[in-house]
Amino acid sequence: MKKLFFATLLLLPLLMCAQTIGAPDRKPGEGEGPFDRLIIRGAILIDGTGGPASGPVDIIVEDNKIVDIARVGVPKVPIDESKRPALGNGKTKEIDATGKYVMPGLIDLHVHTGGAPKAPEAEYVYKLWMAHGITTIRGVPFGDLEWSLKEKERSAKNEIVAPRMVSFHRIGTGKEWKGRKILTPEDAREWVRYANKKGVDGLKLSSHRPEIMEAVLDEANSLGMGSTAHLAQSGVAQMNTIDAARLGLTSMTHFYGLFESMYENNDVQPWPVDINYGDEQHRFGQVARQWNLVQPGGEKWNALLDEFLKLDFYINPTMTIYSAGRDVMRARNADWHEKYTLPSLMDFFSPSRTSHGAYWFDWTTEDEVAWKKYYQVWMQFLNEYKNMGGKITLGSDSGFIYQLYGFGTILELEMFQEAGFHPLEVIRAATMHSAQEIFKPLKKPIEYGVIREGLLADMIIVDENPLQNLKVLYGTGAVRLNDETAKVERVGGIEYTIKDGIVYDAKKLLSDVEAMVNKQKQERGE
């Protein structure tokens, strides 16, 4: 029997990280480096800023920093070997990336690390992320506070195979606060100071009542802590996105509170009279019915865009996690499930009253049509905000609603393009802009997210052009007909993920994941 995944009356998912097995220590052969000197030779560079691809270049890394990007020729002309950087002294690693593409590692700002019963081992999740070139993740949260901070520390030391971790938490969490509640603004301020002292990077907020939200954000901003919010429908009538942004919220995640900030003829969503928020088909089916409650291009729409831009407000939409609502059959039968989705995770995805996000109790064509229309309006808003100079960032929230870790992140890139983003804008959102969201509350320039001298060596190498087809970033690659052989091939898949100057074989990581899936299938007799 599946375990109940609802922590509060809001039915927010409890991640049950007390039952999550932390990643094992990194074994010999799991990643090479860092090296005294790492040289990536002959690559075509997509730097993450939005500028065009350029090459060939040699990228030189010393220990964990990019120290030089050397132009070594022009396209379709043999490289002048005299222009190439020398090997230098000490331990040197060379990677021949001739004709391959190098781009910054992806930064996923909305993740959770599974948990029993669906994905009990963190190693499974981390390797899926790393295999998809995700070198930095923001847990909202990864799991319980102490466990999350311990895993973050181990990743920072490269003791485990995992992306760099930024740890956000819900107010009132932590073992010293067990049994306590946030009842007053001073309680809220006290918890923020406690979390800051523990090493928490920022806050994952809900639609708290105004006096609590104001106190939490004021305290967090004074301490240089970030903030994002899932403005739950149960409280959004008194705390929508613009309400929270005016109080100092750094960013929003998902879409809750966005449409409610610009209703034309309503103040609250006109729910059916039999609505029960505890019924997840009601909760997730009805939210898409907001698509016609706002007026694209209208006065309230434009005023919201303008105010967000003035506030330098970040939007982390996580379009991928709700996309099954548009076509649940497609999501249920995605190419990657057979090899890479644990049977226990597939069980969790299947229709269930007790598994969070498994709300396909009687999903209809009408539900899917509503979601398709909702996405059209939502994507228009995101694209217009981007065009004005607003920051849209990468987040996936995978592990629910038929979305698999890593794969869901790449789907989010595809959905940015569907929304109207040029592929260079897609990559910029997933790298530079996502890094800027992390570093904004710290009032510091980014340390990663762009391939530039002086920044950390977080990069992806792929043998296909992601600007031509983002699908080549999936672990399963893209399907292509080889006209010379008349055979269908799978092309792409990330070749190397480089984090902290350590080079990981992305395909080997996927092979490790496949072995974990096969092991569970054998244990279950499947």
Side-chain angles (χ1 to χ4, degrees):
M1 178 178 179
K2 297 180 182 138
K3 300 189 178 185
L4 189 64
F5 260 67
F6 307 114
T8 69
L9 291 177
L10 298 180
L11 298 184
L12 296 167
L14 177 63
L15 299 179
M16 303 173 70
C17 273
Q19 300 182 58
T20 304
I21 302 170
D25 290 342
R26 187 159 65 98
K27 298 185 261 314
E30 288 191 318
E32 296 181 82
F35 302 91
D36 296 329
R37 194 169 174 86
L38 168 66
I39 307 178
I40 301 169
R41 301 281 196 189
I44 303 168
L45 174 64
I46 303 169
D47 69 4
T49 66
S54 181
V57 299
D58 284 3
I59 303 168
I60 299 89
V61 175
E62 293 182 355
D63 293 322
N64 183 24
K65 282 206 174 168
I66 301 166
V67 297
D68 194 16
I69 300 172
R71 304 284 170 182
V72 294
V74 295
K76 300 184 179 180
V77 174
I79 290 173
D80 182 349
E81 294 296 327
S82 68
K83 293 182 178 180
R84 307 200 95 155
L87 291 179
N89 299 319
K91 184 181 179 183
T92 300
K93 167 80 172 178
E94 288 185 280
I95 296 176
D96 182 2
T98 303
K100 299 179 182 181
Y101 287 77
V102 177
M103 56 180 274
L106 301 176
I107 301 169
D108 192 325
L109 297 182
H110 191 128
V111 308
H112 307 287
T113 315
K118 58 182 181 177
E121 296 182 72
E123 179 186 12
Y124 168 77
V125 181
Y126 295 161
K127 286 186 173 179
L128 278 168
W129 283 327
M130 291 284 283
H132 284 89
I134 301 162
T135 53
T136 298
I137 47 177
R138 184 177 70 184
V140 287
F142 298 116
D144 70 40
L145 192 148
E146 289 76 22
W147 185 90
S148 298
L149 294 178
K150 181 62 176 175
E151 291 290 278
K152 173 189 168 183
E153 179 184 5
R154 296 176 71 210
S155 175
K157 294 178 180 177
N158 291 305
E159 294 174 352
I160 57 177
V161 179
R164 177 180 293 102
M165 297 181 173
V166 178
S167 197
F168 276 35
H169 289 273
R170 295 189 181 278
I171 63 173
T173 55
K175 64 182 181 181
E176 288 87 356
W177 277 72
K178 187 175 182 180
R180 292 187 61 179
K181 293 184 178 180
I182 305 291
L183 299 176
T184 68
E186 187 46 47
D187 290 339
R189 290 180 181 275
E190 182 186 349
W191 182 85
V192 174
R193 293 191 293 269
Y194 157 82
N196 180 254
K197 187 174 180 180
K198 295 277 276 187
V200 169
D201 298 300
L203 314 180
K204 165 71 175 298
L205 301 174
S206 184
S207 48
H208 306 289
R209 68 182 195 266
E211 60 270 28
I212 298 294
M213 188 72 98
E214 182 177 16
V216 164
L217 290 169
D218 181 64
E219 197 70 29
N221 290 335
S222 73
L223 294 170
M225 300 175 74
S227 59
T228 193
H230 168 162
L231 294 163
Q233 294 144 292
S234 55
V236 73
Q238 65 173 353
M239 183 56 58
N240 63 33
T241 305
I242 195 58
D243 295 331
R246 288 167 179 165
L247 293 175
L249 183 70
T250 305
S251 74
M252 66 176 293
T253 192
H254 305 318
F255 50 73
Y256 305 104
L258 177 63
F259 280 45
E260 292 89 340
S261 297
M262 51 181 172
Y263 282 164
E264 286 291 326
N265 299 304
N266 300 85
D267 188 45
V268 299
Q269 183 174 348
W271 300 93
V273 294
D274 64 343
I275 182 67
N276 186 331
Y277 187 66
D279 182 317
E280 285 210 337
Q281 183 156 340
H282 277 192
R283 172 181 169 182
F284 289 102
Q286 287 299 318
V287 70
R289 267 67 177 184
Q290 294 182 94
W291 70 269
N292 59 355
L293 300 182
V294 303
Q295 182 182 342
E299 183 178 344
K300 291 183 177 180
W301 174 284
N302 290 330
L304 187 62
L305 286 168
D306 289 339
E307 189 164 1
F308 277 174
L309 191 64
K310 183 178 179 180
L311 292 168
D312 190 27
F313 189 69
Y314 285 71
I315 301 178
N316 183 240
T318 69
M319 291 177 282
T320 179
I321 194 58
Y322 302 103
S323 61
R326 305 192 302 178
D327 186 350
V328 67
M329 182 168 62
R330 176 194 180 279
R332 188 172 60 240
N333 293 286
D335 287 0
W336 40 85
H337 286 317
E338 178 61 28
K339 273 191 177 182
Y340 303 117
T341 302
L342 288 169
S344 56
L345 184 54
M346 206 65 185
D347 286 347
F348 183 86
F349 290 153
S350 300
S352 167
R353 291 280 180 182
T354 56
S355 293
H356 177 57
Y359 46 80
W360 319 103
F361 312 146
D362 187 17
W363 203 248
T364 67
T365 302
E366 182 180 358
D367 291 316
E368 293 192 350
V369 169
W371 271 106
K372 288 172 183 176
K373 290 180 179 293
Y374 186 87
Y375 268 88
Q376 290 168 4
V377 179
W378 186 20
M379 286 178 167
Q380 181 178 341
F381 187 92
L382 297 174
N383 195 48
E384 288 186 16
Y385 190 51
K386 176 265 297 179
N387 289 342
M388 295 171 66
K391 307 293 197 311
I392 310 294
T393 58
L394 177 65
S396 65
D397 197 17
S398 295
F400 304 96
I401 319 179
Y402 289 114
Q403 297 306 326
L404 183 57
Y405 310 98
F407 290 92
T409 305
I410 307 305
L411 177 57
E412 184 77 357
L413 302 185
E414 291 198 277
M415 297 189 79
F416 280 141
Q417 187 167 0
E418 181 185 346
F421 288 44
H422 184 279
L424 285 168
E425 293 175 324
V426 172
I427 291 173
R428 183 181 63 181
T431 58
M432 186 176 79
H433 285 172
S434 291
Q436 288 172 342
E437 182 173 335
I438 290 172
F439 283 92
K440 178 186 174 180
L442 301 174
K443 296 180 171 59
K444 293 170 57 178
I446 61 173
E447 296 176 0
Y448 46 82
V450 171
I451 298 180
R452 179 185 298 153
E453 292 94 338
L455 298 190
L456 297 180
D458 287 5
M459 295 178 277
I460 299 167
I461 301 176
V462 60
D463 62 4
E464 295 281 333
N465 182 358
L467 301 177
Q468 187 270 331
N469 187 1
L470 291 165
K471 293 183 188 299
V472 302
L473 298 175
Y474 283 117
T476 46
V479 175
R480 182 182 297 164
L481 177 66
N482 184 323
D483 282 326
E484 293 184 4
T485 65
K487 292 183 178 179
V488 174
E489 299 175 341
R490 289 270 180 179
V491 299
I494 291 166
E495 185 173 359
Y496 296 111
T497 297
I498 303 171
K499 176 239 178 179
D500 279 342
I502 298 172
V503 181
Y504 293 91
D505 182 332
K507 289 179 168 49
K508 173 63 168 61
L509 295 175
L510 274 178
S511 177
D512 292 345
V513 169
E514 185 179 2
M516 294 179 207
V517 172
N518 287 336
K519 179 184 176 186
Q520 191 182 92
K521 287 179 178 178
Q522 290 170 3
E523 291 171 349
R524 290 163 55 120
E526 296 180 5

